[in-house]
Amino acid sequence: MTEPVRLAAREVTFAYRRGEPIVQDWSADFPAGTVTALTGPSGSGKSTLLYLLGLMVRPNAGTVLLDGGRVDQLVDADRAWLRAHRYGFVFQDAALDPTRTVLDNVVETALYRRQPRTEAVRTAHELLARFGVELRAGHRPGQISGGQAQRIALCRALLASPPVLLADEPTGNLDPRTSQAVIDALQQQAGTGATVVIATHDPAVVDACDRHLTLRAEP
């Protein structure tokens, strides 16, 4: 049985102001319950595509669809609501707030969903323990390693068990054992019916994905 398309791009083009297109006329479907690897050389647009799919930037042309509805032209408040309620995002640099504790970084998105803090904190501790960083809950990002920061960013993305999970090089700073734990978590999230899209250079991640799309740098 074919899974329904959760996320899609139709002839999407994006260029920063007065620059050459980073992504041009690009289309793809991302079915529910699948893990897709995006690979390609530096400059091929992997991170940019995640930002487009995640409603963080708007395409210059083309369409982004979520559950069959067009979402790229929504007003900022509606896009923000979707990011808070429907998306989880793991940034390449972890993007943790250096002024807040690890625990507060993980539960931050719960504020936007108006999720009770007690519930969010309980789930956050469970996730931090799962990825071996629970003892860092009271630390600040400047007191942890890059690999720990990446695992904490994954905890934040998984907090609400989102139906769309976008991850940018989620194993970039991790040892093989921890990388496998992250891969397992992403596969498990897809097993709940979520759509998972991963920008990666890691062959182990690619091998673990259901689907593989290769991007080419624009000439």
Side-chain angles (χ1 to χ4, degrees):
M1 180 178 177
T2 302
E3 295 291 344
V5 173
R6 167 69 48 70
L7 190 62
R10 297 284 181 266
E11 298 183 348
V12 166
T13 294
F14 179 82
Y16 290 102
R17 186 173 296 180
R18 298 182 180 178
E20 294 296 321
I22 299 171
V23 176
Q24 190 164 20
D25 297 330
W26 189 83
S27 298
D29 290 338
F30 300 95
T34 62
V35 186
T36 301
L38 294 179
T39 64
S42 296
S44 60
K46 298 186 299 297
S47 295
T48 300
L49 278 171
L50 292 185
Y51 296 152
L52 287 163
L53 294 171
L55 309 182
M56 295 177 184
V57 296
R58 297 178 188 273
N60 302 120
T63 304
V64 177
L65 303 169
L66 178 65
D67 292 327
R70 185 171 184 179
V71 290
D72 58 281
Q73 289 189 329
L74 294 175
V75 298
D76 289 345
D78 289 342
R79 289 155 59 88
W81 189 94
L82 286 172
R83 288 195 301 269
H85 290 82
R86 303 284 288 164
Y87 284 87
F89 207 110
V90 183
F91 295 93
Q92 189 171 359
D93 63 356
L96 302 179
D97 184 344
T99 69
R100 311 181 75 177
T101 66
V102 163
L103 179 62
D104 283 340
N105 268 279
V106 174
V107 302
E108 179 183 10
T109 59
L111 299 175
Y112 309 126
R113 293 187 297 275
R114 298 183 180 179
Q115 180 183 2
R117 180 174 172 83
T118 302
E119 175 186 315
V121 167
R122 182 175 62 252
T123 303
H125 279 299
E126 291 171 356
L127 288 166
L128 291 168
R130 177 181 179 184
F131 293 105
V133 286
E134 185 177 19
L135 294 179
R136 300 297 184 181
H139 289 63
R140 297 189 187 276
Q143 300 172 306
I144 60 178
S145 70
Q148 289 170 336
Q150 199 67 0
R151 282 177 276 168
I152 290 160
L154 179 59
C155 293
R156 179 179 58 191
L158 289 171
L159 184 67
S161 191
V164 177
L165 182 59
L166 308 175
D168 197 353
E169 299 288 357
T171 62
N173 295 313
L174 305 181
D175 60 80
R177 181 177 179 180
T178 309
S179 293
Q180 187 58 53
V182 169
I183 292 168
D184 290 345
L186 296 172
Q187 290 176 321
Q188 289 169 15
Q189 187 62 19
T192 69
T195 295
V196 180
V197 186
I198 311 169
T200 186
H201 287 103
D202 188 340
V205 174
V206 176
D207 289 344
C209 290
D210 306 305
R211 306 164 71 245
H212 179 197
L213 300 177
T214 301
L215 309 178
R216 293 185 175 87
E218 292 295 325

